[in-house]
Amino acid sequence: MVVAGAHGGAGTSTLAALLPAVWDMGSIESLLELECAPLDAKGRPIVLAARNTAAAATRATAAIGVLREWDERVAALAIVSDGGPESRDATARFALLEARVGGIVRIPHVRRLRLAENPAEVVLPGKARHAIDQLRRLVDDAGDNATTRHGQCRGEVACR
């Protein structure tokens, strides 16, 4: 799977550490305005990370739009909480994206992840474990569908 951020500070690296066998592409925001694809996932499922703010929802909308233009499908939108509540505006904007992605998963704030050098070593609380499991299921479903459509996926993921 491929994990990419809709903007800087989206929690991409933390998600990549918590999800095994991933490519961490970091933020693709600066690549969205180029006249080429910001990402070539080579058929692998994409998890797009965004914070739980209205501004992040706007950036996620832009990223999903550009990825779809280049025939890249977002298997899951991971909305990563930074501890504050999600505004009504953000919730409404994210709801509009539901039909454009395989699924939306809200990742709760886990303070210990901020303090750890290696997020993979943090024992996650139940809600966070459940959210990561949901992401894995969405990615597995998207990977099974991609393999069925395109045969075995090969090659390295890259920015186009």
Side-chain angles (χ1 to χ4, degrees):
M1 85 183 75
V2 176
V3 178
H7 54 84
T12 309
S13 296
T14 299
L15 284 177
L18 296 174
L19 296 166
V22 301
W23 291 91
D24 179 357
M25 299 305 295
S27 172
I28 60 170
E29 183 177 24
S30 65
L31 304 173
L32 296 179
E33 294 183 18
L34 302 176
E35 293 188 20
C36 60
L39 179 67
D40 181 0
K42 307 265 190 227
R44 291 177 178 89
I46 298 171
V47 173
L48 185 69
R51 287 292 179 194
N52 63 338
T53 65
T58 299
R59 291 182 176 112
T61 301
I64 290 166
V66 171
L67 288 168
R68 286 175 60 103
E69 286 174 16
W70 289 92
D71 295 324
E72 296 289 350
R73 176 93 169 110
V74 175
L77 173 59
I79 302 170
V80 181
S81 175
D82 203 12
E86 186 173 297
S87 70
R88 286 183 181 171
D89 192 29
T91 301
R93 291 179 191 193
F94 286 128
L96 293 173
L97 294 175
E98 283 186 88
R100 301 177 72 197
V101 299
I104 294 179
V105 178
R106 284 175 169 76
I107 310 295
H109 177 70
V110 178
R111 186 173 187 277
R112 284 172 271 164
L113 289 172
R114 289 267 186 195
L115 304 173
E117 284 189 40
N118 181 358
E121 295 175 355
V122 173
V123 177
L124 297 175
K127 286 183 180 180
R129 276 194 323 269
H130 179 70
I132 295 299
D133 288 343
Q134 284 181 297
L135 277 179
R136 286 187 185 121
R137 280 192 296 278
L138 286 169
V139 167
D140 287 346
D141 290 348
D144 291 344
N145 291 337
T147 300
T148 301
R149 283 191 314 265
H150 304 294
Q152 185 65 25
C153 300
R154 292 197 163 93
E156 290 190 11
V157 67
C159 291
R160 287 188 181 174

